[in-house]
């Protein structure tokens, strides 16, 4: 009897089909269902309809991963690669990694994921230490130097720790699935199997275009309602394949018919980072949440362990069962709502003015400039606009500005952001042409490239906004 599928109706991709058995073993579990209550982004203060969550994003990433893999299997012409891909264990490992890639995400997604590393501790490597413990002897680095994101590390650990029976049932490779989730490729690409595995890792979590990025670009654009660059996702997906380049290296590449779509993905991603994710309102409300939770963590800390709250709430413990926070409070599978409940619960015990702003949506501070472009114009040629000095100067500004204005340091908020203007770099995207596999940059030309640069916003109380020029003058005269 043919296995039955379950259909999920999705406004972005249409119907998403998942084997009914996979729903039982993966989706219909408390850890995965928890993702229904974790918002995908922090953009709702700016775009109130953007109430999408990590649950549907995970299904969308699985859907795109399944489509990409199916087209790779049909488009790839190399018999050895096709035969290697015709393997249920490898296919299951990839698709389950797509489905479960966010299973360990923190409440409020990226706003709180840094707390997995016990932000107040002397060594802020909690998530990475767990990953190292779960996979001893494995070097989880991206391109040899960068660690994966904290939520990626936790998701890899959660998958192996709490779904070991399911991984065995579907003959999945736990280490490979962890590398797919974290984007950490194997170092020895001269080995045929490793080369194919690395292409699959890149297909889920790569440098430029992958199933995860494609879904969040499409989904965040849809949910926010912004008029972003359109992406012909069907044309892109149908042109993907694995092929050897002139040196015999196995590459994830696209047909030349997808060239226009490849560029549109980059443009759409840049639009979201510049005008949505880094919007001054989005970052401000995220900062209010961050400040509020830090105050709560300090309140719930113990004399013997100031980091008690971080270790209790942002660790593997609440994934495994109830965690006793003291004062009659317990936490299990923490979500956005749980964090808000805790903040409300203690709002009479500790001063949380930021929470009042969040709940009323009435900001007490205003941004002195509202875009990265305005920041660059104001501080052009100044050390504040120098990306290497920017963070150092920003860290000192709250105290300096408060002294200048004669207000409390807490009245001033300075938020450092990263202007992620991405350009496809050589080696990140490959195109199959009549002359063989070529880098996208060679086919299309290098073009202009802007490196990611730091900038910052300054927020002051409404009563001080007429002092904008005084504050700008102070910043210009602040040295690194």
């Amino acid at each position: 009897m043919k296995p039955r599928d379950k259909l999920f109706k999705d406004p972005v991709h249409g119907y998403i089909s998942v084997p009914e058995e996979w729903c039982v073993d993966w989706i219909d579990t408390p850890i995965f269902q928890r993702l229904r209550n974790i918002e995908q982004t922090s953009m709702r203060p700016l775009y109130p309809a953007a109430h999408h969550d990590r649950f549907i994003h995970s299904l969308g990433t699985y859907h795109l991963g399944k489509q990409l893999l199916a087209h790779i299997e049909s488009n790839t012409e190399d018999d050895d690669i096709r035969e290697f891909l015709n393997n249920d264990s490898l296919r299951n490992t990839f698709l389950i990694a797509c489905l479960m890639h966010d299973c360990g995400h923190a409440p409020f997604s990226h706003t709180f994921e840094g707390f997995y590393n016990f932000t107040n501790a002397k060594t802020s490597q909690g998530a990475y230490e767990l990953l190292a413990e779960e996979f001893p002897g494995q070097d989880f680095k991206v391109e040899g130097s960068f660690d994966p994101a904290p939520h990626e590390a936790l998701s890899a650990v959660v998958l192996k720790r709490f779904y070991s029976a399911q991984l065995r049932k579907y003959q999945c490779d736990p280490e490979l699935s962890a590398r797919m989730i974290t984007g950490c490729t194997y170092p020895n690409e001269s080995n045929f199997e490793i080369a194919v595995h690395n292409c699959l890792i890149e297909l889920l979590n790569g440098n430029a275009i992958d199933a995860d990025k494609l879904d969040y670009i499409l989904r965040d654009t849809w949910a926010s309602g912004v008029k972003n660059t359109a992406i012909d996702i069907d044309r892109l997906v149908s042109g993907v394949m694995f092929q050897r380049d002139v040196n015999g290296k196995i590459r994830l590449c696209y047909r030349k018919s997808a060239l226009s779509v490849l560029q549109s993905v980059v443009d759409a991603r840049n639009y979201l980072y510049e005008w949505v994710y880094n919007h001054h309102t989005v970052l401000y409300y995220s900062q209010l949440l961050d400040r509020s939770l830090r105050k709560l963590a300090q309140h719930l800390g113990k004399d013997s362990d100031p980091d008690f709250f971080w270790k209790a709430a942002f660790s593997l413990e609440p994934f495994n069962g109830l965690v006793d926070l003291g004062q009659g409070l317990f936490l299990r599978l923490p979500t956005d709502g749980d964090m808000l409940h805790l903040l409300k619960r203690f709002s009479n015990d500790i001063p949380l003015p930021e929470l009042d702003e969040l709940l009323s949506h009435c900001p007490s501070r205003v941004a002195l400039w509202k875009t990265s472009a305005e920041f660059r114009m104001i501080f052009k040629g100044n050390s504040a606009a120098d990306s290497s000095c920017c963070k150092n100067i920003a860290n000192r500004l709250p105290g300096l500005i408060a002294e200048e204005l004669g207000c409390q340091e807490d009245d001033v908020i300075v938020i450092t952001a990263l202007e992620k203007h991405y350009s496809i770099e050589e080696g990140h995207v490959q195109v199959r042409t009549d002359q063989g596999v070529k880098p996208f940059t060679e086919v299309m030309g290098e073009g202009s490239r802007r490196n990611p640069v730091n900038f910052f916003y300054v927020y002051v109380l409404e009563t001080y906004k007429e002092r904008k020029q005084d504050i700008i003058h102070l910043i210009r005269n602040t040295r690194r």
Side-chain angles (χ1 to χ4, degrees):
M1 184 176 179
K2 185 179 179 180
R4 296 178 57 185
D5 284 356
K6 183 172 183 179
L7 297 178
F8 295 84
K9 180 61 175 173
D10 176 28
V12 174
H13 301 300
Y15 283 104
I16 296 175
S17 175
V18 183
E20 199 170 65
E21 189 177 14
W22 284 37
C23 292
V24 173
D25 289 333
W26 305 98
I27 295 174
D28 297 337
T29 60
I31 288 175
F32 195 89
Q33 291 293 322
R34 162 185 173 268
L35 299 178
R36 290 182 182 270
N37 298 304
I38 295 179
E39 288 194 4
Q40 172 73 8
T41 71
S42 54
M43 67 167 109
R44 277 196 78 207
L46 185 64
Y47 299 103
H51 192 47
H52 54 313
D53 52 52
R54 291 280 158 181
F55 179 90
I56 190 61
H57 165 63
S58 297
L59 288 175
T61 302
Y62 163 82
H63 173 76
L64 287 176
K66 184 167 69 171
Q67 286 192 325
L68 287 163
L69 188 58
H71 283 289
I72 286 170
E73 290 172 343
S74 62
N75 292 340
T76 298
E77 298 168 354
D78 187 300
D79 290 338
D80 291 336
I81 299 175
R82 286 169 62 93
E83 183 179 351
F84 186 75
L85 290 173
N86 187 24
N87 181 297
D88 286 342
S89 174
L90 184 60
R91 187 180 293 110
N92 290 344
T93 298
F94 174 73
L95 293 178
I96 287 167
C98 289
L99 182 66
M100 303 298 289
H101 79 283
D102 272 350
C103 65
H105 227 303
F108 288 102
S109 292
H110 296 298
T111 301
F112 284 174
E113 76 163 309
F115 295 141
Y116 275 143
N117 279 338
F118 308 152
T119 304
N120 290 339
K122 291 181 180 178
T123 56
S124 57
Q125 295 291 315
Y128 308 139
E129 289 170 359
L130 285 171
L131 186 63
E133 291 173 9
E134 199 68 28
F135 298 93
Q138 295 301 317
D139 183 16
F140 281 88
K141 299 286 185 180
V142 179
E143 294 184 345
S145 58
F146 300 104
D147 290 304
H151 80 273
E152 293 171 348
L154 252 293
S155 295
V157 172
V158 166
L159 177 60
K160 184 172 182 289
R161 181 75 62 91
F162 302 113
Y163 290 89
S164 57
Q166 291 95 319
L167 289 171
R168 287 194 298 270
K169 176 180 178 180
Y170 295 100
Q171 299 179 313
C172 295
D173 181 338
E175 182 194 329
L176 179 56
S177 66
R179 288 186 175 275
M180 290 172 172
I181 290 171
T182 58
C184 299
T185 55
Y186 293 96
N188 181 20
E189 287 198 334
S190 60
N191 178 284
F192 173 80
E193 291 187 9
I194 287 178
V196 177
H197 286 169
N198 281 349
C199 286
L200 289 170
I201 292 169
E202 185 182 349
L203 194 63
L204 173 56
N205 188 352
N207 289 306
I209 297 172
D210 54 51
D212 180 26
K213 293 182 183 69
L214 287 172
D215 183 80
Y216 79 63
I217 292 170
L218 294 169
R219 195 168 301 282
D220 292 355
T221 296
W222 165 82
S224 63
V226 298
K227 298 301 181 183
N228 199 353
T229 303
I231 298 174
D232 189 344
I233 190 67
D234 293 330
R235 190 176 185 87
L236 179 70
V237 169
S238 65
V240 68
M241 66 186 71
F242 288 171
Q243 186 159 328
R244 299 178 191 269
D245 64 16
V246 66
N247 298 314
K249 183 177 180 179
I250 300 172
R251 297 281 197 172
L252 167 64
C253 66
Y254 297 86
R255 288 175 174 159
K256 60 183 180 181
S257 59
L259 277 172
S260 61
V261 191
L262 293 170
Q263 185 59 53
S264 69
V265 172
V266 174
D267 294 341
R269 182 183 177 189
N270 286 341
Y271 182 95
L272 289 172
Y273 271 100
E274 185 159 2
W275 303 112
V276 178
Y277 305 148
N278 273 338
H279 193 282
H280 64 93
T281 299
V282 171
L283 294 182
Y284 181 73
Y285 280 98
S286 293
Q287 183 68 12
L288 294 182
L289 269 172
D290 182 281
R291 282 190 168 202
S292 299
L293 202 69
R294 287 177 189 272
K295 291 179 180 179
L296 176 66
Q298 187 175 8
H299 179 73
L300 293 178
K302 299 180 179 180
D303 292 338
S304 59
D305 187 3
D307 293 315
F308 166 76
F309 176 76
W310 303 126
K311 295 175 182 177
F314 291 86
S315 67
L316 286 179
E317 289 185 60
F319 284 92
N320 196 36
L322 284 175
V323 174
D324 188 352
L325 297 178
Q327 305 186 49
L329 292 171
F330 296 86
L331 195 62
R332 184 187 178 197
L333 298 172
T335 63
D336 298 2
D338 294 321
M339 295 297 109
L340 281 176
H341 169 74
L342 288 173
L343 290 170
K344 292 176 184 178
R345 163 68 176 77
F346 290 99
S347 58
N348 284 333
D349 300 332
I350 52 177
L352 289 174
E354 296 88 355
L355 180 62
D356 294 333
E357 290 187 54
L358 283 166
L359 296 178
S360 65
H361 205 273
C362 291
S364 66
R365 303 168 185 84
V366 294
L368 295 183
W369 48 86
K370 298 185 177 181
T371 65
S372 59
E374 188 179 358
F375 170 85
R376 290 194 303 271
M377 287 188 293
I378 292 172
F379 298 106
K380 185 177 181 180
N382 186 266
S383 57
D386 183 339
S387 195
S388 62
C389 304
C390 185
K391 284 187 176 181
N392 186 280
I393 290 174
N395 290 337
R396 297 167 56 200
L397 286 180
L400 294 173
I401 294 174
E403 184 178 353
E404 172 75 16
L405 300 178
C407 63
Q408 298 296 315
E409 188 169 330
D410 268 0
D411 292 337
V412 180
I413 289 181
V414 178
I415 301 176
T416 304
L418 183 65
E419 187 185 47
K420 288 185 176 180
H421 190 279
Y422 178 76
S423 296
I424 294 178
E425 298 181 21
E426 185 176 357
H428 282 183
V429 176
Q430 306 292 323
V431 179
R432 207 265 304 262
T433 71
D434 295 338
Q435 291 75 40
V437 176
K438 301 288 184 181
F440 177 88
T441 49
E442 181 179 332
V443 176
M444 295 295 291
E446 291 287 344
S448 60
R449 181 176 184 275
R450 284 160 51 190
N451 290 321
V453 294
N454 293 305
F455 70 100
F456 56 79
Y457 292 113
V458 172
Y459 306 80
V460 297
L461 298 177
E462 183 85 20
T463 54
Y464 295 117
K465 69 177 183 180
E466 70 273 9
R467 302 281 304 275
K468 176 178 176 177
Q469 293 306 319
D470 295 334
I471 296 170
I472 289 173
H473 179 74
L474 182 151
I475 295 171
R476 283 175 174 158
N477 287 282
T478 300
R479 295 290 176 260
R480 181 176 180 177

